[in-house]
Amino acid sequence: VAALFCYALSVVIWILALSRVPVSIAFPMLSMAYVVNAIAAWYLLGEVFNPTKLIGMGVIILGVIILRALRIICDNKRWYHFNIKTLK
């Protein structure tokens, strides 16, 4: 029962996030959950990080940073603002 409650809560939070933030920002941030879970498992459960886990977490963090940087660049350049009707 607790698991279903947690799942329902996560769905509500995800929908609220999508209503306030573009998917191009929200979805990469969702991948940060893997990093947060790994750190929580290390802190709370004493799990050990091996080089593969550390590299994987680094790739996720670097990917989120790159996507955010590209988003800032595109916001400044307005590259992604187009109307699909003008593409005919």
Side-chain angles (χ1 to χ4, degrees):
V1 174
L4 289 175
F5 174 76
C6 290
Y7 176 73
L9 181 64
S10 72
V11 169
V12 169
I13 291 171
W14 178 244
I15 291 171
L16 288 173
L18 287 179
S19 70
R20 291 172 172 77
V21 178
V23 175
S24 61
I25 298 295
F27 203 70
M29 292 307 292
L30 183 64
S31 66
M32 288 297 292
Y34 296 110
V35 176
V36 172
N37 286 338
I39 292 171
W42 166 76
Y43 183 75
L44 298 172
L45 304 174
E47 288 194 18
V48 178
F49 288 142
N50 60 29
T52 305
K53 287 181 184 178
L54 290 173
I55 291 170
M57 288 170 34
V59 168
I60 290 172
I61 293 168
L62 183 62
V64 170
I65 290 170
I66 289 171
L67 285 174
R68 181 62 185 148
L70 290 175
R71 172 77 183 193
I72 291 170
I73 291 169
C74 289
D75 280 347
N76 292 335
K77 302 281 186 184
R78 303 284 185 218
W79 289 342
Y80 68 96
H81 292 291
F82 62 89
N83 187 339
I84 198 72
K85 294 177 183 176
T86 62
L87 296 177
K88 291 181 181 178

